Amino acid sequence: MPADTPAPQTLSLPGSKSLTARALFLAAAADGVTTLVRPLRSDDTEGFAEGLVRLGYRVGRTPDAWQVDGRPQGPAVAEADVYCRDGATTARFLPTLAAAGHGTYRFDASSQMRRRPLLPLSRALRDLGVDLRHEEAEGHHPLTVRAAGVEGGEVTLDAGQSSQYLTALLLLGPLTRRGLRIRVTDLVSAPYVEITLAMMRAFGVAVAREGDVFVVPPGGYRATTYAIEPDASTASYFFAAAAVTPGAEVTVPGLGTGALQGDLGFVDVLRRMGAEVSVGATATTVRGTGELRGLTVNMRDISDTMPTLAAIAPFASAPVRIEDVANTRVKECDRLEACAENLRRLGVRVATGPDWIEIRPGTVPEGVEVTSYGDHRIVMSFAVTGLRVPGISFDDPGCVRKTFPGFHEAFADLRAGFADRH
């Protein structure tokens, strides 16, 4: 190994937000006590757990495990007022869970979450007979569910804005009296649905698929002990950091060939760009080779990692074009425009369209203050840019608490590790 090669880094990253949220729903719905091992502790997941408590579920939390007393019959209280904070999974999954119970449940969220759409899910729930009313803007929080259980049957859903709408209905299915047949007319971020189906199997429910129709049986869930994988979306920043640093090597244990999360597919993008990638049975390693090629890539299925790629695209040898990411415009912010605007402020030439962004090589020699738009993924992505562009700062660095409260400390440790030479 050359003397100026950065020391290899092995990272212990927090649990997956997507898995933790689904596991909390499944645990609350299951018959018995479920233990979640190494769940993510962040603003989003703490908000989900607090929402369950408001609905009358018992949630015991220790540093390394959470225990949930399941209630297949639904919330233990007849009335509740639940604040969903900034969490999209909380704001979409908990009203769906509450619909399976009996009572009146009001849900509200932050101003950021109030802007995010809910209407396709609301329509589907109403089509199933759920009394769901939006108090202000139709299709947005706040909303009230007057629950009387859900009979089930057939329903059609447009999941083109968010796969979370489909996940919410899939999770609800076993709690209905007849089960569900969900016909999907469009679907974005399909790997997240595969996560849902795999986790439902772990809790005793097998979903059948007939083309665009998902068939969910009634009968409820079985409590279990469930270990949460490290967050693959979070890992993308550390893998990208290795890819832009010649000779740097980053290994993330717990994410390997059997990982549920589709966002691990981001390392395949890095491989196409020239990084060395090894995906083993229990860990994934990325090593920077000093080469970063341009490419055109469809990121529809891994759109949460679009900002990560956008943030390193200026260091490629040719343009980077990211396509089929219209749904990133309705996340915590319009991520496509947020990336474009921050890159332009760094002196990078960027073009955008309804569902694409194209980024040309080149940066100015010094950084600027990155506008976060309150979005954790914008901050974490441009932290990677800061490895190559000195002087980058953030107007709201603390918004990373949504998914990774310790991100800045972990990234500083990584940077220090890269400075250690072998």
Side-chain angles (χ1 to χ4, degrees), residues 234-269:
T234 296
S236 75
Y237 313 115
F238 297 89
F239 290 141
V244 300
T245 307
E249 184 178 296
V250 166
T251 298
V252 177
L255 288 176
T257 51
L260 295 180
Q261 298 163 80
D263 276 3
L264 185 56
F266 180 73
V267 299
D268 294 327
V269 179

Side-chain angles (χ1 to χ4, degrees), residues 49-407:
E50 180 57 34
L52 288 177
V53 171
R54 298 280 294 184
L55 291 169
Y57 297 89
R58 190 194 75 82
V59 182
R61 283 171 273 181
T62 64
D64 296 323
W66 291 355
Q67 281 195 332
V68 182
D69 285 8
R71 288 184 52 84
Q73 66 271 41
V77 297
E79 292 186 10
D81 202 323
V82 178
Y83 182 63
C84 300
R85 305 191 194 181
D86 282 338
T89 50
T90 309
R92 291 161 177 170
F93 294 177
L94 286 186
T96 308
L97 175 65
H102 292 77
T104 300
Y105 309 107
R106 182 180 182 273
F107 299 87
D108 201 357
S110 68
S111 58
Q112 184 189 66
M113 188 60 225
R114 277 186 170 200
R115 292 192 296 270
R116 297 181 68 178
L118 192 71
L119 191 57
L121 177 59
S122 300
R123 284 174 171 161
L125 289 171
R126 286 168 176 161
D127 288 346
L128 290 168
V130 176
D131 183 348
L132 186 155
R133 300 177 189 179
H134 293 280
E135 294 177 13
E136 297 178 14
E138 181 67 7
H140 297 268
H141 281 73
L143 62 89
T144 298
V145 175
R146 291 174 175 82
V150 181
E151 182 66 20
E154 296 199 16
V155 67
T156 299
L157 173 73
D158 179 354
Q161 279 182 328
S162 173
S163 64
Q164 289 178 4
Y165 306 148
L166 177 55
T167 281
L169 292 180
L170 289 168
L171 293 172
L172 171 66
L175 303 180
T176 65
R177 288 181 277 274
R178 292 168 43 209
L180 288 181
R181 288 180 59 88
I182 308 163
R183 182 176 300 279
V184 181
T185 59
D186 191 16
L187 178 60
V188 71
S189 301
Y192 282 94
V193 176
E194 296 302 322
I195 292 174
T196 303
L197 298 178
M199 294 185 68
M200 290 173 71
R201 286 194 295 272
F203 282 79
V205 174
V207 176
R209 186 166 183 179
E210 302 168 358
D212 294 329
V213 178
F214 293 81
V215 183
V216 190
Y221 294 104
R222 183 176 62 243
T224 188
T225 296
Y226 193 88
I228 306 294
E229 291 176 359
D231 195 295
S233 307
T234 296
S236 75
Y237 313 115
F238 297 89
F239 290 141
V244 300
T245 307
E249 184 178 296
V250 166
T251 298
V252 177
L255 288 176
T257 51
L260 295 180
Q261 298 163 80
D263 276 3
L264 185 56
F266 180 73
V267 299
D268 294 327
V269 179
L270 297 178
R271 180 189 282 119
R272 287 178 58 192
M273 296 180 78
E276 289 183 3
V277 175
S278 172
V279 182
T282 59
T284 294
T285 298
V286 173
R287 194 177 78 83
T289 62
E291 180 181 30
L292 209 62
R293 298 187 290 266
L295 81 172
T296 296
V297 59
N298 184 309
M299 298 190 81
R300 179 183 180 90
D301 285 343
I302 56 169
S303 59
D304 273 352
T305 62
M306 179 278 289
T308 320
L309 180 56
I312 65 172
F315 312 124
S317 58
V320 171
R321 182 180 172 94
I322 306 169
E323 298 180 337
D324 207 359
V325 287
N327 68 312
T328 64
R329 291 188 178 276
V330 290
K331 298 286 188 173
E332 283 80 347
C333 69
D334 182 337
R335 285 181 178 160
L336 200 149
E337 287 303 326
C339 288
E341 178 58 28
N342 281 310
L343 288 168
R344 289 183 183 119
R345 293 176 66 201
L346 284 163
V348 179
R349 287 182 295 159
V350 181
T352 61
D355 68 346
W356 59 269
I357 182 169
E358 185 169 304
I359 302 154
R360 298 200 166 264
T363 63
V364 292
E366 291 193 8
V368 297
E369 183 177 80
V370 168
T371 303
S372 69
Y373 301 94
D375 191 329
H376 57 129
R377 300 215 181 279
I378 299 300
V379 172
M380 291 190 277
S381 295
F382 279 89
V384 184
T385 312
L387 290 173
R388 295 277 291 267
V389 181
I392 282 184
S393 60
F394 303 95
D395 65 339
D396 183 13
C399 68
V400 298
R401 65 185 174 273
K402 180 178 174 68
T403 50
F404 191 176
F407 171 78

Side-chain angles (χ1 to χ4, degrees), residues 2-62:
D4 61 349
T5 299
Q9 305 289 302
T10 298
L11 307 177
S12 178
L13 295 181
S16 161
K17 180 183 77 163
S18 300
L19 269 66
T20 301
R22 286 161 176 76
L24 284 168
F25 184 114
L26 290 161
D31 187 8
V33 179
T34 290
T35 300
L36 305 182
V37 182
R38 296 185 303 278
L40 171 65
R41 301 199 70 147
S42 72
D43 193 66
D44 269 15
T45 57
E46 293 281 4
F48 199 117
E50 180 57 34
L52 288 177
V53 171
R54 298 280 294 184
L55 291 169
Y57 297 89
R58 190 194 75 82
V59 182
R61 283 171 273 181
T62 64

